[in-house]
Amino acid sequence: MTEIIGLDLGFGNVKGKNLFQEIMFPSVVGPSRNLIESTVQADTEPLNRIIDNKRSLFIGDLALRQSATKMFSLKENKAGHESTKPLLEVALGLLAKGRNVNVVTGLPVTFYFQQKEELSKVFKRDHDINIQVGGQWIERTISVDEVKLVPQPLGSAIDFLLDREGNIKEDMKKYAKGRIGVLDIGFYTNDLLVLDGLEVAQDYSRSLRSGMSVAYRAMNDAGIDVPIYDLEKMVRRGQYRSASEQAFQALAQQIQGEVETYWPQLDLIIITGGGGHELFRYLKLPGESRISLNPSLANVKGYYKLGRRAWGRGNNGQLSVKR
């Protein structure tokens, strides 16, 4: 049976899920170099290295620590950026156990129709994987047979509403019949998605450039001279607490204004994304709001459930996106 994988090539982190495991690593790529053995933190994370077009590249945290130059994308055209292919193939190498897989992934709401076909072509083909993980090299071909692309925040809605078998949870049925807003605060984008009776209401759904990078750049402007991909990790470790609280409060106020501007009255608001975890306590949204159980991974957990629903037991009850 073909494996199912939920995968999110986020601007800040790559996230993925299969039947047995979940992964997350920074969306950063850099040139590799020879390392002295004692500098490899094998006790805390795998060593991720990929051979891509005869180049040897470090991926994720290893690239952040050891690459002289670091490549990450805040460009809107994800399919065309040179970091997309190595990040995708490392994720497939970590998650796929066999040769054939089907993948559910997402795009920011505003980019969905413009980039859907191009990104599908990047995924749906044979991938020759040549990666080093935990000191072991993985060399094999993984074929993505089918790919399903959805607006990114839909994953969090699905994870919140459906059980593991893809059925609507009993206590969620009252919300499924009404209007649900999903506030997906990522690294670069803040995605607003509204579901009306489980159908995407496109007039109320959009991507805004008010992701967490806005707060980190504000901290840069305030005199903290640290690259934003390093600053995010330092803040999560408790550094620059006063400056981060000020920046997060300002961003939360901006997002709150965007919600009040673009959204109708809703029965429930689901707050998700890595930024949702950081900003939840600063947000004062109208009506009932809840945070995802695991905001950083909620989208890929929902993608996996969508995959089970689409390929595991037929297309019954599929959600649709209307133009």
Side-chain angles (χ1 to χ4, degrees):
M1 182 177 177
T2 301
E3 295 176 65
I4 296 169
I5 290 174
L7 190 56
D8 178 11
L9 301 181
F11 290 108
N13 291 283
V14 174
K15 285 85 68 176
K17 175 176 172 55
N18 62 14
L19 178 60
F20 303 105
Q21 70 181 119
E22 297 160 357
I23 64 168
M24 183 167 71
F25 58 87
S27 301
V28 180
V29 176
S32 70
R33 59 176 177 172
N34 293 327
L35 297 179
I36 299 172
E37 186 175 351
S38 62
T39 68
V40 179
Q41 299 182 2
D43 58 329
T44 59
E45 62 182 334
L47 169 59
N48 288 338
R49 186 197 309 249
I50 184 169
I51 305 299
D52 178 63
N53 292 330
K54 298 183 179 180
R55 300 177 301 167
S56 178
L57 301 171
F58 287 156
I59 303 292
D61 285 303
L62 188 64
L64 285 175
R65 292 197 313 271
Q66 296 290 352
S67 292
T69 58
K70 301 168 180 67
M71 178 172 60
F72 73 107
S73 174
L74 292 182
K75 292 184 177 179
E76 295 174 357
N77 184 7
K78 189 174 295 186
H81 195 269
E82 59 181 313
S83 67
T84 296
K85 180 175 178 287
L87 291 173
L88 168 61
E89 293 187 346
V90 167
L92 289 174
L94 292 172
L95 289 169
K97 307 307 176 187
R99 177 185 172 93
N100 298 91
V101 299
N102 291 344
V103 176
V104 180
T105 189
L107 278 165
V109 176
T110 299
F111 312 150
Y112 176 74
F113 287 114
Q114 299 96 311
Q115 298 185 26
K116 179 182 177 183
E117 295 304 320
E118 186 179 2
L119 190 61
S120 293
K121 292 176 183 177
V122 173
F123 276 76
K124 191 176 178 180
R125 62 182 185 82
D126 290 343
H127 298 268
D128 294 321
I129 306 297
N130 190 356
I131 63 173
Q132 185 184 22
V133 181
Q136 301 294 318
W137 281 96
I138 299 173
E139 297 184 49
R140 59 196 179 96
T141 298
I142 297 172
S143 177
V144 177
D145 296 335
E146 299 291 340
V147 60
K148 181 178 181 64
L149 268 135
V150 299
Q152 263 174 2
L154 185 61
S156 287
I158 293 300
D159 185 51
F160 197 87
L161 296 170
L162 303 189
D163 61 23
R164 292 181 179 180
E165 300 304 316
N167 300 309
I168 298 174
K169 300 172 185 175
E170 194 63 35
D171 61 339
M172 291 291 114
K173 288 183 178 178
K174 62 178 180 179
Y175 298 113
K177 296 176 182 178
R179 279 182 170 176
I180 300 170
V182 186
L183 181 60
D184 183 3
I185 307 170
F187 188 75
Y188 176 57
T189 58
N190 171 32
D191 279 305
L192 309 181
L193 183 81
V194 171
L195 297 176
D196 191 347
L198 293 187
E199 184 175 78
V200 174
Q202 194 170 334
D203 288 344
Y204 300 118
S205 303
R206 67 197 65 224
S207 301
L208 302 168
R209 294 175 182 84
S210 49
M212 293 302 295
S213 60
V214 172
Y216 298 129
R217 283 188 171 132
M219 293 173 68
N220 286 161
D221 293 341
I224 299 174
D225 189 18
V226 177
I228 59 174
Y229 43 75
D230 287 327
L231 188 55
E232 178 189 28
K233 295 190 71 173
M234 296 170 76
V235 168
R236 289 188 176 182
R237 290 198 299 261
Q239 296 175 255
Y240 304 114
R241 190 177 302 276
S242 177
S244 65
E245 286 185 353
Q246 184 176 348
F248 288 178
Q249 284 178 343
L251 179 57
Q253 289 176 355
Q254 177 181 338
I255 290 172
Q256 197 162 309
E258 292 168 347
V259 167
E260 292 170 356
T261 298
Y262 295 115
W263 272 359
Q265 184 174 348
L266 300 168
D267 299 297
L268 175 67
I269 295 175
I270 301 168
I271 300 170
T272 189
H277 174 77
E278 301 290 349
L279 298 186
F280 180 69
R281 63 193 176 107
Y282 302 110
L283 291 166
K284 296 178 176 60
L285 301 173
E288 182 179 357
S289 60
R290 301 193 197 177
I291 190 165
S292 298
L293 290 177
N294 190 336
S296 295
L297 292 171
N299 278 342
V300 292
K301 291 172 71 176
Y303 296 164
Y304 180 78
K305 290 179 181 179
L306 275 173
R308 287 284 301 272
R309 194 173 175 90
W311 299 304
R313 59 186 186 88
N315 287 317
N316 182 41
Q318 284 293 288
L319 297 172
S320 62
V321 181
K322 288 188 175 181
R323 281 188 178 274

